[in-house]
Amino acid sequence: MQEPVSTSITISAPAPFERKVVLSLAALYTFRMFGLFMLLPVLALYGTEYAHHSPFLLGLALGAYGFSQALLQIPFGVLSDRIGRKPLILAGLVIFVLGSVVAALAESVYGLILGRFLQGGGAISAVVMALLTDLTSDENRTKAMATIGASIGVSFSVAMTVGPLLAAWGGVGTIFWLTAILGVIGIYILLKLVPDVAKTTTSKREAVAVPSLLADTLKHPQLARLNVGIFVLHFVLMSSFVVLPLMLQDQLQIAREYHGLIYFPLLAFAFVLMLPFVIIAEKRRKIKGVFLIAVALLLVAELALMLVSSNRIFALLVLFVFFIAFNVLEATQPSMVSKIAPAGAKGTATGIYSTCQVLGVFGGGALGGWLLQHQGANAVFLLNAVLVLIWLVVAWSMKPPHFLASVLIPLRGQDHQRITDRLRAVDGVAEVVIVASENTIYLKVDQKRVDRKQLAAIVDEV
């Protein structure tokens, strides 16, 4: 097993080991998310098969998993430091499978809501990322997380295609049965393919939330802007898909069994078009500009959706813009969180960010369904546009993030003040935080400027 922090920061784990870690965790994460994504384009259409259904209750069912996940995401991560990552992931997957079975057997919308709530109770996202942090070297971690992010993006596109086809063949229950099977496969991957890790690791602040840091991290002005943003982004996604499937069927006269064939090319081309924006944002360090353009495009899309009548070309163009904006924002915001989070607080910042994300899922589904039921589709799009406009105003004053990466160095009883002063004097080092209880030094560095050999030499000398 790879040690989470090596004695030299320039040494990384053997490539085959880390490749196995990344691929197995990406598969586990993707299988779980695939089942959740498949429901997004179909529940508004097929939910009428459930007893006691209404637009509000179907919207609540769509977003219910976000509520339970928001409650448990940070506690699961913290608890995994005490009892181990894999036991928590196993428990989460079992709960997820149970929820999928409950939803598959549901005959009323209330049973469906219960099943979705249980699905969200398997809140393993933070623990999976913590395990990834434990088992990958500092140098390769960004690529590892990018691999998982890309796998989720592909999963989203495929699920949006498969979901409508599967629902047309066997109904919504079939989707939940497949989701349960994928959860069982995830359990197999966890037990047979994912390497073990020690219960206590020295890198936990980079992996999971630290309760003592929650208050300060919540008050961090730049991170708060991103938390608002991810809440709005997923609120808008869920509330829009309370309406969009119905719009495609009723206004554009596209049979519901063909909706997946509409979504897939739009998502595929949007993903391809997103890549240049992300490259410009990261390689040319123009991330704030790209980010603001994407928020503005999302605002334009939500306003334009109010104008869609029966014009298919216009509607599909608007959906294309929506997916481009969503993909760019989904890709750039986690990167910004990582860059902005203070040294030693990355896990806490990520935990809060992820909680805001799933709260947006819940709020968008529930409030979007309520507005559709009582005020109509345009009220949903109008609310979304107002929220995105607020987000644009909030984000406009955000400081461009410094392109800083996290580096962890083992602390071996050195003179804390002396080593802090020496490390701060190194060109490219922006922050130094020593946590004696973890025997770890947390740094934020500019990777284009910092000399890692110099950092290693300081650690060895002091």
Side-chain angles (χ1 to χ4, degrees):
M1 184 191 71
Q2 178 206 21
E3 293 296 330
V5 180
S6 63
T7 56
S8 171
I9 60 172
T10 59
I11 296 175
S12 60
F17 176 86
E18 293 203 347
R19 193 178 300 118
K20 177 181 178 182
V21 168
V22 173
L23 292 178
S24 59
L25 290 179
L28 188 156
Y29 208 117
T30 301
F31 282 172
R32 175 177 171 272
M33 297 306 298
F34 184 78
L36 296 173
F37 290 147
M38 281 193 294
L39 193 66
L40 190 60
V42 304
L43 187 58
L45 297 171
Y46 293 87
T48 54
E49 298 170 2
Y50 291 94
H52 314 299
H53 69 86
S54 70
F56 167 64
L57 290 176
L58 290 175
L60 187 61
L62 193 63
Y65 88 89
F67 182 75
S68 51
Q69 195 163 345
L71 291 177
L72 296 173
Q73 183 123 251
I74 289 178
F76 262 46
V78 173
L79 191 58
S80 73
D81 268 340
R82 298 182 180 180
I83 68 174
R85 312 289 191 216
K86 291 182 72 172
L88 256 295
I89 296 174
L90 177 60
L93 287 173
V94 170
I95 295 171
F96 177 75
V97 170
L98 176 62
S100 300
V101 172
V102 169
L105 295 173
E107 296 182 354
S108 77
V109 71
Y110 298 110
L112 180 64
I113 292 170
L114 175 61
R116 292 284 286 170
F117 182 83
L118 286 172
Q119 280 187 318
I124 62 170
S125 299
V127 188
V128 171
M129 289 302 179
L131 185 57
L132 183 74
T133 301
D134 294 336
L135 293 172
T136 54
S137 63
D138 185 46
E139 301 93 285
N140 297 326
R141 192 164 302 126
T142 299
K143 292 181 180 178
M145 291 187 173
T147 299
I148 289 184
S151 69
I152 295 172
V154 172
S155 172
F156 179 74
S157 299
V158 176
M160 293 286 286
T161 303
V162 173
L165 296 174
L166 197 58
W169 174 68
V172 176
T174 307
I175 291 178
F176 285 116
W177 283 121
L178 178 57
T179 301
I181 293 170
L182 292 174
V184 172
I185 295 174
I187 292 173
Y188 174 84
I189 291 172
L190 176 71
L191 297 179
K192 298 297 184 180
L193 301 180
V194 177
D196 292 323
V197 64
K199 289 184 180 180
T200 304
T201 67
T202 57
S203 59
K204 69 175 184 178
R205 288 177 179 239
E206 289 296 286
V208 297
V210 179
S212 61
L213 298 179
L214 286 172
D216 288 341
T217 308
L218 276 168
K219 293 185 290 187
H220 192 292
Q222 304 306 316
L223 291 174
R225 288 174 168 84
L226 294 174
N227 293 335
V228 169
I230 196 61
F231 172 86
V232 172
L233 181 62
H234 282 263
F235 184 103
V236 167
L237 176 69
M238 299 304 287
S239 59
S240 294
F241 271 91
V242 169
V243 178
L244 286 174
L246 297 171
M247 176 182 290
L248 291 178
Q249 176 182 260
D250 299 336
Q251 291 182 231
L252 303 182
Q253 299 297 304
I254 300 174
R256 60 187 185 179
E257 57 265 28
Y258 298 118
H259 285 191
L261 303 179
I262 298 295
Y263 293 128
F264 185 77
L266 292 177
L267 283 162
F269 284 118
F271 182 81
V272 171
L273 196 58
M274 169 203 75
L275 294 177
F277 286 99
V278 174
I279 291 171
I280 291 170
E282 295 290 345
K283 298 296 184 181
R284 299 188 181 180
R285 300 196 168 188
K286 301 291 185 182
I287 196 166
K288 181 182 177 182
V290 170
F291 172 70
L292 292 176
I293 290 172
V295 177
L297 284 176
L298 187 64
L299 175 60
V300 169
E302 288 298 318
L303 290 172
L305 284 170
M306 298 174 63
L307 304 176
V308 171
S309 178
S310 58
N311 190 326
R312 291 182 179 180
I313 294 177
F314 177 70
L316 296 180
L317 179 62
V318 172
L319 278 178
F320 183 58
V321 172
F322 176 90
F323 286 134
I324 292 173
F326 177 80
N327 284 340
V328 171
L329 292 167
E330 191 78 350
T332 55
Q333 287 200 105
S335 174
M336 294 171 75
V337 171
S338 180
K339 292 175 174 60
I340 293 171
K346 182 178 176 181
T348 307
T350 302
I352 294 171
Y353 172 87
S354 298
T355 299
C356 292
Q357 176 180 339
V358 289
L359 283 174
V361 167
F362 171 68
L367 189 53
W370 186 88
L371 279 175
L372 176 63
Q373 181 171 328
H374 295 285
Q375 302 295 330
N378 277 352
V380 177
F381 296 134
L382 179 60
L383 174 62
N384 288 348
V386 170
L387 290 175
V388 176
L389 179 60
I390 293 171
W391 179 14
L392 185 60
V393 171
V394 168
W396 197 270
S397 60
M398 181 178 66
K399 297 177 182 178
H402 298 293
F403 280 67
L404 302 177
S406 299
V407 173
L408 279 62
I409 304 176
L411 181 66
R412 296 189 293 270
Q414 296 102 327
D415 182 327
H416 293 185
Q417 188 58 54
R418 185 182 175 199
I419 196 170
T420 297
D421 293 341
R422 291 281 304 276
L423 290 171
R424 282 178 176 163
V426 176
D427 182 46
V429 174
E431 298 178 43
V432 180
V433 173
I434 292 179
V435 182
S437 62
E438 299 176 20
N439 295 317
T440 304
I441 306 169
Y442 294 89
L443 306 177
K444 294 299 289 281
V445 305
D446 185 333
Q447 296 198 91
K448 288 189 175 181
R449 294 164 52 200
V450 75
D451 184 345
R452 287 178 174 253
K453 292 182 179 180
Q454 185 180 1
L455 297 180
I458 291 173
V459 172
D460 292 337
E461 290 173 6
V462 176

